[in-house]
């Protein structure tokens, strides 16, 4: 069974998330910082009356921090019953991944970043890291999306 992913850039890396989890893609707008939250939680933004936590995906994956600018975007995703925003460098395209093109992660011991990945997809000689969105928010305080 194939599935569709939205792919995006974080530096030189191409990542993807299931298209069904995407609610919207919006231009960067500064987030209001919150006290005593993990470093990867950049703060919150108001999305048409909904307070939306914004995660720095680069920081969450252990790849440094994002210095957001006008060229960055926020991908709004639904994780469980919660809306979350994730900061990415740029959105690429929509790709269809056949089941046979999806690979499990290789064994890497206790590598932290791998716990946020569902697997790897190969499309046109490109390796796409497929995010497991629900794992990004483990133990992160969530704002009410209702």
């Amino acid at each position: 069974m194939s599935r569709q992913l939205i792919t995006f850039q974080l530096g030189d890396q191409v990542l993807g998330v299931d298209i069904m989890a995407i609610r919207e893609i919006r231009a960067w707008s500064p987030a209001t910082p919150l006290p005593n939250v993990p470093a990867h939680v950049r703060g919150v933004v108001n999305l048409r009356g909904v307070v939306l936590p914004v995660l720095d995906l680069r920081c969450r994956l252990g790849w440094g921090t994002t210095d957001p600018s006008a060229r960055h975007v926020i991908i709004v995703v639904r994780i469980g019953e919660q809306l979350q925003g994730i900061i990415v460098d740029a959105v690429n395209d929509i790709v269809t991944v056949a089941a046979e093109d999806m690979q499990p992660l290789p064994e890497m011991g206790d590598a932290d970043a791998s716990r946020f990945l569902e697997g790897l997809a190969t499309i046109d000689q490109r390796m796409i890291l497929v995010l497991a969105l629900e794992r990004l928010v483990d133990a992160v305080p969530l704002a009410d999306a209702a």
Side-chain angles (χ1 to χ4, degrees):
M1 184 171 93
S2 64
R3 61 193 273 206
Q4 289 191 309
L5 304 174
I6 294 263
T7 63
F8 54 89
Q9 294 289 137
L10 264 187
D12 293 333
Q13 290 293 333
V14 178
L15 293 97
V17 294
D18 192 290
I19 196 167
M20 297 309 291
I22 306 292
R23 293 298 168 256
E24 117 178 38
I25 298 169
R26 57 179 289 168
W28 166 251
S29 57
T32 302
L34 296 173
N36 300 316
V37 295
H40 63 274
V41 178
R42 294 302 290 257
V44 294
V45 294
N46 187 333
L47 179 66
R48 294 181 297 282
V50 175
V51 176
L52 180 74
V54 177
L55 308 179
D56 183 342
L57 186 57
R58 180 177 276 117
C59 182
R60 185 67 169 140
L61 296 176
W63 295 342
T65 57
T66 302
D67 186 16
S69 67
R71 70 176 178 83
H72 288 87
V73 294
I74 297 174
I75 299 176
V76 179
V77 294
R78 179 169 296 282
I79 303 172
E81 297 303 311
Q82 187 71 40
L83 289 179
Q84 302 277 328
I86 54 177
I87 304 169
V88 302
D89 294 346
V91 174
N92 294 342
D93 52 11
I94 299 171
V95 297
T96 300
V97 179
E100 62 270 14
D101 292 331
M102 195 68 174
Q103 302 294 321
L105 293 169
E107 183 59 45
M108 296 179 283
D110 292 336
D112 255 1
S114 66
R115 71 184 173 125
F116 301 122
L117 300 176
E118 183 180 317
L120 303 168
T122 305
I123 303 288
D124 299 329
Q125 306 304 315
R126 291 185 302 166
M127 185 73 66
I128 300 170
L129 306 175
V130 181
L131 283 179
L133 287 174
E134 65 283 352
R135 297 182 204 157
L136 290 178
V137 296
D138 289 344
V140 174
L142 303 177
D144 183 19

